[in-house]
Amino acid sequence: MDTKLDIPGSEDAAPLGSSTPVAAADVLPPRPASIEETGLSPLYLMDLLSKQLLEQGVLDLHQLSRGAALAGSVVETLCHLLRREGRAEVRGQGESGALRFGLTELGRAAAMEALARDGYAGPAPVPLEVYTARVRAQALSDVGISRSAVMAAFADTVVEPALLDQLGPGLHSGRAMFIHGEPGTGKSYMARRLVRLLPGEVLMPHAILAGGKAVRCFDPSVHSQLAPPGTEPAAAALLLAEGHDPRFVRCRRPCVVTGGELTMERLEVQYDHATHIHQAPIQLLANNGMLVIDDLGRQRMTPMELFNRWIVPLEERRDFLALANGYHFSVPFDVALVFSTNLDPLTLADAAFLRRIGYKIRFAPLSRETYREIWARQCRESGIACDPTLVDFVIYELHARLGVPLLACHPRDLLGLAGDHLRYWGGETLDREVLAWAWQTYFGDFTSDDRTGGDAHTSGRTAS
């Protein structure tokens, strides 16, 4: 996959966006008890089981039930239909006593034909209308984000409260946000951590069925599963007992991050000609969550091409997609869309598009006090004694004298280089000489006493 997908680390494991998070279990989709209740045709489900038998060999009823994410009674009925048509036969009993099934020659031929039409052989998909209802039932707009939750989520981060008071309402509204400012001001870092504010959990289908083709939706590299297969906690088992449809996976709200490597093709349904499998685009993977487009303006397409792709979804809250065979369908667009760029927004978009983005938030250089606070925190994390006179040396003798703005990335980067120097030389104490060396190594010849303010912007780019 060309696009970089990023999910938060372990520090983001517990969303703090609401004191009473809305759980996906509050409105459970019913577990199908019959073929009719799956919303799928008997022929499609028979082909699905046939493909699984073709790929995995002889399987018993329990294995087929787990593989297809269907109730045992439904699988038993399908196996009876396959036997009646001469496509499958009983191959004895497993250790548990369950019947084992394998394909006949006729069944193998039919399975090969089914794979050529649609290579998907995973858990049974959910119909498009069921997926649409599920996305609306767990919509971002139905959950609230309070100021206290925002402040609690970023209590371990040095950030101006005024900036959080812009980001919080933006995410609360569910409208698109445009984050801009100089490189190194923390835009990408903050955009990724905004997922902390997404409350509750969602149910993500393994796949959806559109136009008779399965479109794979669940992606372990994007979706943080709450109950991994084989290690389901009691809560997950309770969901199954209460009727949770196993065609859905319980996940935290997703956060997809893509940068300069994004292409227009990745915003459409992907089709693998070798496997005959359709893969959902990144905005569908991010449904009921967040999509961050980082480094805006660095993509291989023009910004206006990218913006034009979002005009209809932002206006109508639905997206229009197409399969490889030309079949068109629409899906809900319930995504907190975040654009992040180092460039001037006015050079990237026209007024018509900017009007559709409710929040334009600028990340500015730090105040001296905030810089000192970040420096002190970084010293603690690096095991370096924090000397206030050394911080003032960096602020007044280096940043101010050379016209380099105070950016959030500088304490981490400069102290990191200083630590490398101390370990290399066997030193123990940080001093001005070491910091001056770190500064020169970090910026090279991009700063000097006689440079103008315009060149200070160049220094900021170097720092990023």
Side-chain angles (χ1 to χ4, degrees):
M1 182 182 308
D2 291 337
T3 302
K4 171 184 64 181
L5 300 178
D6 187 27
I7 57 177
S10 59
E11 74 276 12
D12 298 318
L16 299 172
S18 174
S19 57
T20 56
V22 177
D26 289 346
V27 189
L28 282 172
R31 188 182 192 190
S34 65
I35 293 177
E36 292 74 19
E37 290 180 7
T38 67
L40 306 172
S41 70
L43 180 58
Y44 181 88
L45 291 173
M46 290 164 62
D47 283 344
L48 184 67
L49 293 188
S50 296
K51 289 184 282 188
Q52 293 182 359
L53 288 169
L54 181 66
E55 291 185 348
Q56 302 180 52
V58 178
L59 299 173
D60 64 30
L61 281 174
H62 297 312
Q63 292 169 324
L64 285 169
S65 178
R66 288 195 298 270
L70 296 172
S73 58
V74 175
V75 172
E76 188 174 10
T77 301
L78 292 170
C79 287
H80 173 73
L81 294 175
L82 286 171
R83 291 179 63 193
R84 191 174 68 182
E85 293 190 3
R87 294 170 58 179
E89 58 187 5
V90 176
R91 301 283 183 86
Q93 290 181 314
E95 294 181 0
S96 64
L99 293 177
R100 303 174 74 238
F101 292 88
L103 293 176
T104 63
E105 287 299 323
L106 177 63
R108 278 190 286 273
M112 293 288 288
E113 291 180 6
L115 278 172
R117 292 192 300 270
D118 182 3
Y120 179 79
V126 301
L128 182 58
E129 57 271 20
V130 173
Y131 172 71
T132 298
R134 170 86 335 232
V135 172
R136 290 173 178 165
Q138 55 199 25
L140 277 170
S141 58
D142 292 339
V143 297
I145 300 173
S146 66
R147 186 177 189 274
S148 59
V150 173
M151 296 302 167
F154 288 92
D156 61 343
T157 306
V158 180
V159 58
E160 296 284 355
L163 184 60
L164 292 178
D165 287 336
Q166 288 182 291
L167 293 170
L171 191 59
H172 176 88
S173 71
R175 301 177 68 182
M177 288 191 287
F178 205 124
I179 296 175
H180 62 99
E182 292 185 51
T185 50
K187 299 181 300 301
S188 299
Y189 175 80
M190 290 294 293
R192 284 168 169 81
R193 288 173 69 92
L194 282 175
V195 72
R196 287 183 166 203
L197 300 176
L198 298 180
E201 61 190 52
V202 296
L203 294 180
M204 178 64 61
H206 285 282
I208 60 176
L209 190 69
K213 310 292 183 183
V215 179
R216 184 181 290 164
C217 295
F218 175 72
D219 187 336
S221 67
V222 175
H223 302 113
S224 182
Q225 187 174 355
L226 292 174
T231 58
E232 293 185 343
L238 180 61
L239 284 177
L240 289 173
E242 292 178 352
H244 165 54
D245 188 343
R247 294 179 296 173
F248 289 91
V249 182
R250 295 175 62 240
C251 306
R252 297 188 179 93
R253 290 191 183 269
C255 177
V256 180
V257 181
T258 180
E261 73 284 356
L262 177 65
T263 62
M264 291 296 289
E265 290 75 18
R266 195 64 189 92
L267 301 177
E268 307 300 335
V269 176
Q270 304 290 292
Y271 180 70
D272 189 322
H273 291 274
T275 62
H276 306 290
I277 294 177
H278 291 85
Q279 173 68 44
I282 58 173
Q283 68 271 23
L284 196 150
L285 298 180
N287 244 346
N288 293 139
M290 179 184 299
L291 173 58
V292 179
I293 300 180
D294 205 1
D295 291 326
L296 184 64
R298 311 293 185 188
Q299 289 75 23
R300 281 176 277 181
M301 79 286 285
T302 66
M304 283 310 303
E305 286 180 298
L306 184 59
F307 290 149
N308 287 336
R309 177 61 181 82
W310 299 115
I311 286 180
V312 171
L314 288 175
E315 284 282 356
E316 301 187 10
R317 307 306 297 175
R318 59 176 176 159
D319 196 13
F320 294 89
L321 303 170
L323 301 177
N325 62 5
Y327 179 84
H328 288 75
F329 63 101
S330 67
V331 292
F333 184 80
D334 185 59
V335 178
L337 188 57
V338 179
F339 298 100
S340 175
T341 183
N342 300 331
L343 307 176
D344 182 354
L346 295 177
T347 66
L348 299 175
D350 58 19
F353 185 80
L354 289 176
R355 176 178 56 82
R356 291 174 169 85
I357 299 180
Y359 289 81
K360 295 88 170 175
I361 302 173
R362 179 175 181 269
F363 278 58
L366 305 174
S367 67
R368 291 168 181 169
E369 287 307 312
T370 302
Y371 190 93
R372 288 189 179 96
E373 189 175 350
I374 294 177
W375 185 279
R377 181 177 294 234
Q378 191 62 45
C379 283
R380 289 195 298 271
E381 293 178 359
S382 303
I384 299 175
C386 183
D387 185 343
T389 62
L390 293 181
V391 185
D392 287 340
F393 166 73
V394 173
I395 292 175
Y396 293 104
E397 295 298 323
L398 298 177
H399 279 284
R401 181 169 60 84
L402 300 174
V404 178
L406 301 172
L407 303 181
C409 64
H410 289 157
R412 176 202 62 199
D413 296 342
L414 291 174
L415 286 170
L417 289 172
D420 294 340
H421 184 281
L422 291 175
R423 285 188 291 272
Y424 178 78
W425 290 100
E428 298 181 356
T429 304
L430 185 64
D431 56 28
R432 294 190 176 199
E433 183 180 352
V434 172
L435 286 173
W437 175 90
W439 181 278
Q440 179 61 31
T441 302
Y442 187 56
F443 289 106
D445 294 327
F446 290 102
T447 60
S448 65
D449 291 310
D450 56 353
R451 294 224 171 175
T452 64
D455 287 320
H457 184 69
T458 304
S459 302
R461 287 199 301 271
T462 306
S464 67

